[in-house]
Amino acid sequence: MSAKHEPNRYGVLSAAFVVMFFVASIALFSVFLNPLSEQHGWTPAEVSLSYSIFQTVMAVTGIFSGRISDKFGPRTVMLVGGFVFGLGWFLTGMADSLPMLYICHGLIAAVGNGLVYNPALTTAQRWFPDIRGKASGILLAAAAIGPATLAPVANALSSAFGVSNALRILGVTFWVTITLGSLFVQPAPADYRPKGWNPPVADKPAAATASGASGASAVSDDDGSFDFKAMLASPRFYVLLAVYAMAASSGTMLVGAVSSISQEHVGAVGTMTAAAFGAMAVSISTISNFLGRLTFGALYDKFGAFKCLSIMLVVTALAMVAMSFAYNAAFFVVCVIVLGFAFGALLVIYPPLTGETFGTKHLGVNYGIMFLGYALGAWIGPRLATGLHSETYGYRMAFYAAAGITLLGLVIVLLLAARVRKAGTMMPPRK
């Protein structure tokens, strides 16, 4: 692609922003948790299982979508994915049994999400090798603004037209908007470098230590990238995968059940019904998540992945403990804000961290595999919320368990950061 015909990279970023805004609507599922339970007589645990299935299927699909996108181009994959994603939500509105719910939402919608999410994120990342953290933060901020904006809309649609019709309306909306955004997403040229930017060479180990054992300056894009086989042969992959799962557990507990938790902890507030307050809690969580993504996107480029991860994990553990006592509306909202803000760091940190550790040449596939850690966290978090919930203690034991898992992740991050500083490079030794 010649410079003359090269698309404006900020135009590509804007198009990907629109796509991410609508495809990241999994957080809306919390709004429908209680309405679906009441309408069909299902338990919240049975309904929330669809959320965990969704995250797993999405992650697995993302592995293949990255590879397919590299072969056929991101636009084609995203157009197909947008249709499948919208169809899944539309059909979820017709599901009258748990198996149908799991197939329509947990499988079909999740496949569509996986086909869209990974290509949109990694394609835009490749246009911004000079500011990976900021680009990741902007895109993943869109993934937070979307649910924040759409949660009250979804609640209003559910109240006005019923939960089934609301899901159908959202399905059509997702298909149309993702299709329009995908039309303007184009892949970056091979070894793309923005005008005036020269990547640092890899033989300067001080670059890694100066940025907190991370940072975009650690390795250049074309220097020794790992393919997925080499990545899977590296022990560091499994360490990062485990940390991803531990760090995601608390956040996915919040995303998957914040509406239900708020209704039990706080209930109705003034003239606001418990359901309306729950929808508001979803919006507050995603808005603070949005701010966290923007903030940590900038901090990543300055301080590096490990320092940002450490901050995120400490704040998350403390906020989880505080949440166990949050039965006052104002205090509950503060805890939701802090947790949402901290959780916003995770999805911003891991795409560029994966690229720095294993190179960006195969980032589409590699990050798709790494995202399985997030999917694992999506099984742990909601299961903690439903499995440890009791009439006596409510969600308190679940919050304590999530805090403990988060602190274990912190210990691993600190040990890994020390090892990287000693080696002087983000990339692990090859087997």
Side-chain angles (χ1 to χ4, degrees):
M1 185 183 298
S2 66
K4 183 179 180 180
H5 299 292
E6 186 177 293
N8 185 310
R9 63 176 182 157
Y10 290 97
V12 176
L13 182 66
S14 299
F17 185 97
V18 171
V19 171
M20 294 292 282
F21 181 97
F22 288 98
V23 81
S25 52
I26 181 59
L28 292 180
F29 196 66
S30 176
V31 174
F32 295 108
L33 184 63
N34 285 343
L36 283 171
S37 300
E38 294 167 1
Q39 177 171 304
H40 298 289
W42 303 328
T43 67
E46 289 172 331
V47 177
S48 69
L49 179 59
S50 185
Y51 173 83
S52 298
I53 295 172
F54 183 104
Q55 293 286 10
T56 303
V57 173
M58 171 199 172
V60 173
T61 305
I63 298 172
F64 300 100
S65 70
R67 198 164 190 173
I68 296 170
S69 175
D70 289 342
K71 184 174 182 179
F72 296 103
R75 181 186 300 166
T76 300
V77 178
M78 292 165 63
L79 287 172
V80 173
F83 172 75
V84 176
F85 182 66
L87 178 65
W89 279 85
F90 186 89
L91 293 177
T92 300
M94 301 180 178
D96 56 3
S97 67
L98 285 170
M100 282 298 295
L101 174 68
Y102 300 151
I103 291 172
C104 296
H105 177 262
L107 179 60
I108 297 175
V111 167
N113 191 296
L115 289 173
V116 173
Y117 185 96
N118 195 347
L121 181 60
T122 56
T123 299
Q125 281 264 302
R126 286 168 175 158
W127 281 105
F128 293 89
D130 50 334
I131 48 170
R132 290 175 183 152
K134 290 185 179 68
S136 178
I138 290 170
L139 282 181
L140 290 164
I145 297 174
T149 306
L150 296 174
V153 174
N155 185 62
L157 289 173
S158 183
S159 299
F161 303 107
V163 61
S164 297
N165 287 327
L167 288 164
R168 293 169 190 159
I169 293 170
L170 288 172
V172 174
T173 302
F174 294 152
W175 170 52
V176 172
T177 53
I178 292 171
T179 296
L180 291 175
S182 299
L183 292 173
F184 296 93
V185 174
Q186 298 187 48
D191 299 325
Y192 172 75
R193 296 182 183 183
K195 185 177 180 180
W197 179 74
N198 294 309
V201 294
D203 59 354
K204 294 182 180 179
T209 57
S211 61
S214 184
S217 61
V219 226
S220 62
D221 283 356
D222 56 352
D223 190 4
S225 290
F226 287 54
D227 62 15
F228 79 94
K229 294 179 182 178
M231 183 181 74
L232 291 175
S234 170
R236 189 166 299 176
F237 164 75
Y238 299 97
V239 172
L240 291 175
L241 187 78
V243 172
Y244 207 172
M246 294 173 189
S249 296
S250 295
T252 54
M253 176 193 292
L254 180 70
V255 171
V258 64
S259 181
S260 298
I261 293 172
S262 69
Q263 292 180 55
E264 177 172 315
H265 271 231
V266 180
V269 178
T271 59
M272 187 180 295
T273 65
F277 181 75
M280 187 185 77
V282 174
S283 293
I284 291 171
S285 171
T286 50
I287 290 171
S288 57
N289 191 287
F290 156 70
L291 295 174
R293 294 179 187 203
L294 283 181
T295 301
F296 278 98
L299 291 176
Y300 185 101
D301 291 327
K302 186 174 183 179
F303 297 112
F306 294 146
K307 286 184 179 179
C308 289
L309 261 179
S310 298
I311 294 169
M312 175 261 174
L313 291 166
V314 169
V315 172
T316 298
L318 293 175
M320 268 291 160
V321 174
M323 180 74 88
S324 67
F325 300 99
Y327 291 96
N328 170 271
F331 187 43
F332 183 85
V333 168
V334 169
C335 291
V336 168
I337 290 172
V338 173
L339 278 168
F341 186 86
F343 188 47
L346 186 61
L347 291 174
V348 171
I349 290 169
Y350 256 83
L353 172 59
T354 304
E356 289 180 38
T357 307
F358 301 107
T360 59
K361 182 177 181 181
H362 307 286
L363 182 60
V365 176
N366 288 352
Y367 182 65
I369 297 173
M370 185 67 76
F371 194 76
L372 289 173
Y374 183 90
L376 181 58
W379 279 96
I380 297 171
R383 298 283 76 72
L384 288 176
T386 56
L388 296 180
H389 178 268
S390 67
E391 293 184 6
T392 304
Y393 298 105
Y395 289 99
R396 183 170 293 181
M397 294 299 105
F399 293 142
Y400 292 158
I405 292 171
T406 301
L407 290 174
L408 178 59
L410 173 64
V411 172
I412 297 174
V413 168
L414 295 176
L415 292 173
L416 180 58
R419 181 161 187 166
V420 169
R421 279 194 298 270
K422 184 177 180 180
T425 178
M426 281 291 290
M427 279 192 167
R430 288 180 177 272
K431 291 293 182 180

